[in-house]
Amino acid sequence: MSEATDPHFHTHQLCNGLQIVGQSMPDFESVALCFNVRTGARDEEDTRIAGISHFLEHMMFKGTTTLDWQQLKQEFTRIGAEKNGSTEVEYTVECRKVWQSRRGVLLVHSREQEFS
């Protein structure tokens, strides 16, 4: 659906070029937050970088500035959240899902995400 035909669909581009896409779905009692990177296996023709997209996916599970990866996993389990990722041919993605009432915890941990 395009932005013009769906009033619940929103896009915004930050000054650094990062595009944020959101869709409000009022009938759902959960929140999903996904990080999509427009690179995947198709972009790895050079054998010296083969697997780099999959490596990026694993870096998304590294932890946050306040929690290591094990503590983050325990915290997600504690609040009933799901976290998963995949590397596809054209993109790499990491998604987090949680009940609407726990969205604050999800957002705090997402803001603290480490990619170093």
PDB file of all heavy atoms in Angstrom, residues 7 15 18 40-42 92 113:
ATOM      1  N   PRO A   7      -3.907   5.614   5.483  1.00  0.00           N
ATOM      2  CA  PRO A   7      -3.587   6.657   6.467  1.00  0.00           C
ATOM      3  C   PRO A   7      -2.784   6.137   7.664  1.00  0.00           C
ATOM      4  O   PRO A   7      -2.262   6.919   8.432  1.00  0.00           O
ATOM      5  CB  PRO A   7      -4.958   7.156   6.907  1.00  0.00           C
ATOM      6  CG  PRO A   7      -5.884   6.011   6.638  1.00  0.00           C
ATOM      7  CD  PRO A   7      -5.327   5.308   5.433  1.00  0.00           C
ATOM      8  N   CYS A  15      18.109  12.904   8.406  1.00  0.00           N
ATOM      9  CA  CYS A  15      19.114  13.656   7.658  1.00  0.00           C
ATOM     10  C   CYS A  15      20.321  12.794   7.275  1.00  0.00           C
ATOM     11  O   CYS A  15      21.028  13.118   6.324  1.00  0.00           O
ATOM     12  CB  CYS A  15      19.551  14.895   8.427  1.00  0.00           C
ATOM     13  SG  CYS A  15      20.254  14.549  10.040  1.00  0.00           S
ATOM     14  N   LEU A  18      18.801   7.496   6.689  1.00  0.00           N
ATOM     15  CA  LEU A  18      18.069   6.350   7.215  1.00  0.00           C
ATOM     16  C   LEU A  18      16.581   6.566   7.006  1.00  0.00           C
ATOM     17  O   LEU A  18      16.036   7.606   7.370  1.00  0.00           O
ATOM     18  CB  LEU A  18      18.362   6.158   8.703  1.00  0.00           C
ATOM     19  CG  LEU A  18      17.666   4.989   9.383  1.00  0.00           C
ATOM     20  CD1 LEU A  18      18.206   3.663   8.850  1.00  0.00           C
ATOM     21  CD2 LEU A  18      17.871   5.066  10.887  1.00  0.00           C
ATOM     22  N   GLY A  40      22.252  -8.147   0.992  1.00  0.00           N
ATOM     23  CA  GLY A  40      22.094  -9.570   1.263  1.00  0.00           C
ATOM     24  C   GLY A  40      23.104 -10.371   0.463  1.00  0.00           C
ATOM     25  O   GLY A  40      24.093  -9.833  -0.054  1.00  0.00           O
ATOM     26  N   ALA A  41      22.843 -11.653   0.343  1.00  0.00           N
ATOM     27  CA  ALA A  41      23.780 -12.564  -0.321  1.00  0.00           C
ATOM     28  C   ALA A  41      24.086 -12.143  -1.760  1.00  0.00           C
ATOM     29  O   ALA A  41      25.203 -12.332  -2.245  1.00  0.00           O
ATOM     30  CB  ALA A  41      23.229 -13.983  -0.284  1.00  0.00           C
ATOM     31  N   ARG A  42      23.137 -11.536  -2.431  1.00  0.00           N
ATOM     32  CA  ARG A  42      23.344 -11.112  -3.824  1.00  0.00           C
ATOM     33  C   ARG A  42      24.462 -10.072  -3.940  1.00  0.00           C
ATOM     34  O   ARG A  42      25.120  -9.958  -4.967  1.00  0.00           O
ATOM     35  CB  ARG A  42      22.045 -10.549  -4.385  1.00  0.00           C
ATOM     36  CG  ARG A  42      22.180 -10.068  -5.830  1.00  0.00           C
ATOM     37  CD  ARG A  42      20.854  -9.692  -6.411  1.00  0.00           C
ATOM     38  NE  ARG A  42      20.086 -10.930  -6.552  1.00  0.00           N
ATOM     39  CZ  ARG A  42      18.782 -10.981  -6.753  1.00  0.00           C
ATOM     40  NH1 ARG A  42      18.088  -9.884  -6.824  1.00  0.00           N
ATOM     41  NH2 ARG A  42      18.167 -12.126  -6.879  1.00  0.00           N
ATOM     42  N   THR A  92      18.943  -7.985   4.743  1.00  0.00           N
ATOM     43  CA  THR A  92      19.217  -8.575   6.053  1.00  0.00           C
ATOM     44  C   THR A  92      18.257  -7.898   7.025  1.00  0.00           C
ATOM     45  O   THR A  92      18.062  -6.682   6.960  1.00  0.00           O
ATOM     46  CB  THR A  92      20.682  -8.322   6.458  1.00  0.00           C
ATOM     47  OG1 THR A  92      21.528  -8.869   5.444  1.00  0.00           O
ATOM     48  CG2 THR A  92      21.003  -8.968   7.790  1.00  0.00           C
ATOM     49  N   GLN A 113      20.978  -0.321  21.473  1.00  0.00           N
ATOM     50  CA  GLN A 113      21.620  -1.365  20.669  1.00  0.00           C
ATOM     51  C   GLN A 113      23.044  -0.980  20.293  1.00  0.00           C
ATOM     52  O   GLN A 113      23.297   0.147  19.880  1.00  0.00           O
ATOM     53  CB  GLN A 113      20.813  -1.605  19.392  1.00  0.00           C
ATOM     54  CG  GLN A 113      21.291  -2.761  18.551  1.00  0.00           C
ATOM     55  CD  GLN A 113      20.882  -4.095  19.143  1.00  0.00           C
ATOM     56  OE1 GLN A 113      19.754  -4.260  19.557  1.00  0.00           O
ATOM     57  NE2 GLN A 113      21.801  -5.024  19.171  1.00  0.00           N
TER      58      GLN A 113
END
